[in-house]
Amino acid sequence: FPYKSSFSHDQEKASPAYYEVYLKNYDVQVKLSSTLRCGIHEYTFKNNKGRKVLFDLGKANNHVDDWQIKQEGSNAVSGFQRTGGEKIYFYATLSSPIEKLDTKDVAKSGGYTLVNIKDGDTKPVAVKIALSFVSVDNAIENLKAEVGDKNLTKVFEEGSTKWENLLSKIQVKGGSEQQNVMFYSMLYRSFLWPALRSDVNGQFTDEAGKVRKENYHYYTLPSLWDDYRNKLVLLSIFSPDETSDIISSMINEGEIKGFMPTFFHGDHAASFIAGSYMRGIRKYDVKKAYELLLNNAYKEGGTRPHIAEYIAKGYVPEQDIKNPVVETKGNAGVTKTLEYAYDDHALALLAKELNDTEHYNDLVKRSKNYANVFDKSTTFMRGKLADGKWVTPFNPEFPYYEYMYREANAWQLSFFAPHDMPGLVKLYGGDKPFEAKLDEFFTKPWNPKYIAWNISGFIGQYCHGNQPDHEAPFSYYFVNKPEKSQKRIDEILETMYGIGPEKLAMSGMDDAGEMSSWYVFGALGLYPLSPADPEYIVTVPIFKEVAWTTPAGKKVTIKNPNGKRNLETIKVNGAKIDGYFISHDLFKNGGDIQVITK
């Protein structure tokens, strides 16, 4: 590819709603900002003769199967790019007149167009560009509504103010400079997905390719397997209206397919929708959502592969495969059983709210299915064959992508029953053996021979760089050893984040904000251990004081007056509470949490 440029981080700036870089090969200063549906670019050329702007339409994250660009009048271009069968339309204006379009290799993957700008002026070239998933006309309308006559400075100021308003809903005191930087960086990253797909006029193109207009904003599907755990809970507390819109968008897709959609693995729309409903977010058709989620939970051929076997046997059987390796394709039967059992719990909560006793009773029973893949002889969650025998040979340290486990090993999946942790402790034989197993989990060294590209960032067998075991550090709470959990939580916050030369990186895949949200909740001292349940486990915040303002204007404060790290008692509005969980009601009514530490 002929067009590329070196750059230096010393000549680069980035902040919410802004990016700037100097392209050394071309001597061009680039500044970028955006609105929800539009971007604004400003290019300052050192040499104002023969200026060009590259429209690199032949390339995208997905394969591009068609694209087009044409000139509109003296200073605008329009067109589309089609990836994965979906057309994204665009319309862009340039502040200087266009000389001509120089297009290369439209038919081939990797083609591009150079927009040549007329000589004769020396002003920076401003490019205002709008996208639409419906039409060029809608892109034009989006541009008029969101950018219009505004310059880059104005667009940036408005975007920056929006982010400031969102991020300042949480005020923290008493942390180090690095903790403050990490906290707000992670909070920012928690809100970068899902993406808005509807235009300013309300139109969008649905999954069946039909243009529609509904009374909600249409969003892409959330990254449910990753972020049902924490990020979608954070979103629901911060942005209830957007959360309702996202659920309406999912229902829309579900009605086309006959099943509520999922992302990657599991059926975690159940957790997201039930959890949102339990938190009082209800501006969507809950009956339709429930009907689609019941289809997922009971009907073959949809969101839950092997559902008939799961219902019949109480677990998803694994194939009998000789000499499996990391990439071996299997049923991921253990992970599916554990996830389906959790999703059954989530759907049971919704069934109860909607007075569906029959399904409630059945789903509550099914939510205990996690125990069916627990092998008492090894004390691991272990693959089971269709005949009820355990998968052998069995190496609990070996990581698999789809065989028995999904992107994990037996250690990483053996503490997953967030809806029934007391039941899980019993399976292990009580507090002492459970605690000993957890101790081993966090101290048994990772075997460096076992390399799996997205399983990284280890504390013993615990892996923070991928999602499957992110609830495990909280497990000590269920043997009344919160201080042991805190030690691990603090270690993760300290060593798995704020790394790299800029001290801003993290130890794995953020996956649409899940790892960022883990940091946010861990730093604040509240975690949605079972995200479908409207409650939070209380840990020790890294800040002395947190003031959180809800969208309705209620204040939640979290304080650690002693400033120590070991949790002793929890006071809510001055009164000591039993146990370690606080209710979401605190976010509805406002209130004060005091974490008494020793």
Side-chain angles (χ1 to χ4, degrees), residues 396-457:
E397 291 177 57
F398 193 85
Y400 294 106
Y401 283 156
E402 287 181 65
Y403 183 63
M404 295 195 284
Y405 311 102
R406 199 71 170 98
E407 298 189 4
N409 68 12
W411 276 105
Q412 288 148 9
L413 263 290
S414 290
F415 301 98
F416 184 85
H419 57 301
D420 187 23
M421 290 301 286
L424 184 69
V425 172
K426 271 195 199 124
L427 278 184
Y428 277 92
D431 288 10
K432 284 223 154 55
F434 185 76
E435 185 182 351
K437 189 79 172 183
L438 270 176
D439 288 347
E440 196 183 350
F441 175 52
F442 284 107
T443 52
K444 187 181 186 62
W446 182 262
N447 188 329
K449 287 192 312 214
Y450 298 153
I451 294 168
W453 67 269
N454 59 353
I455 298 174
S456 64

Side-chain angles (χ1 to χ4, degrees), residues 243-478:
T243 302
S244 284
D245 285 345
I246 290 162
I247 294 171
S248 291
S249 306
M250 289 166 67
I251 294 167
N252 184 307
E253 189 180 328
E255 286 193 289
I256 292 164
K257 294 176 173 171
F259 294 90
M260 185 62 78
T262 194
F263 182 93
F264 187 63
H265 206 253
D267 179 19
H268 303 317
S271 176
F272 172 41
I273 294 169
S276 300
Y277 192 81
M278 301 297 283
R279 287 175 176 85
I281 295 169
R282 301 183 176 188
K283 286 188 199 157
Y284 49 87
D285 191 332
V286 70
K287 287 200 168 61
K288 269 185 194 163
Y290 181 60
E291 199 180 300
L292 290 164
L293 288 167
L294 284 178
N295 288 352
N296 290 10
Y298 287 92
K299 287 186 185 172
E300 194 61 66
T303 302
R304 296 201 200 186
H306 310 285
I307 190 64
E309 286 178 289
Y310 171 79
I311 291 168
K313 295 179 186 294
Y315 67 95
V316 173
E318 194 46 84
Q319 300 165 43
D320 200 358
I321 294 169
K322 295 274 168 283
N323 308 315
V325 292
V326 172
E327 288 85 6
T328 293
K329 297 251 188 283
N331 294 348
V334 175
T335 297
K336 281 193 176 68
T337 303
L338 297 173
E339 292 186 345
Y340 290 179
Y342 182 73
D343 296 325
D344 289 340
H345 163 75
L347 196 51
L349 295 174
L350 203 49
K352 190 177 183 184
E353 289 291 310
L354 300 176
N355 300 316
D356 180 355
T357 314
E358 193 184 334
H359 281 119
Y360 169 74
N361 291 332
D362 187 44
L363 290 162
V364 166
K365 248 187 260 151
R366 281 170 45 168
S367 74
K368 306 286 189 228
N369 283 341
Y370 70 87
N372 297 337
V373 288
F374 184 79
D375 170 24
K376 285 195 169 156
S377 70
T378 59
T379 59
F380 283 107
M381 298 290 178
R382 181 174 177 181
K384 218 180 209 181
L385 303 171
D387 62 6
K389 293 199 177 94
W390 296 112
V391 166
T392 48
F394 176 63
N395 176 356
E397 291 177 57
F398 193 85
Y400 294 106
Y401 283 156
E402 287 181 65
Y403 183 63
M404 295 195 284
Y405 311 102
R406 199 71 170 98
E407 298 189 4
N409 68 12
W411 276 105
Q412 288 148 9
L413 263 290
S414 290
F415 301 98
F416 184 85
H419 57 301
D420 187 23
M421 290 301 286
L424 184 69
V425 172
K426 271 195 199 124
L427 278 184
Y428 277 92
D431 288 10
K432 284 223 154 55
F434 185 76
E435 185 182 351
K437 189 79 172 183
L438 270 176
D439 288 347
E440 196 183 350
F441 175 52
F442 284 107
T443 52
K444 187 181 186 62
W446 182 262
N447 188 329
K449 287 192 312 214
Y450 298 153
I451 294 168
W453 67 269
N454 59 353
I455 298 174
S456 64
F458 301 107
I459 299 173
Q461 294 293 303
Y462 174 75
C463 160
H464 199 70
N466 204 352
Q467 281 70 30
D469 58 355
H470 274 183
E471 79 302 319
F474 301 90
S475 301
Y476 284 109
Y477 271 74
F478 300 92

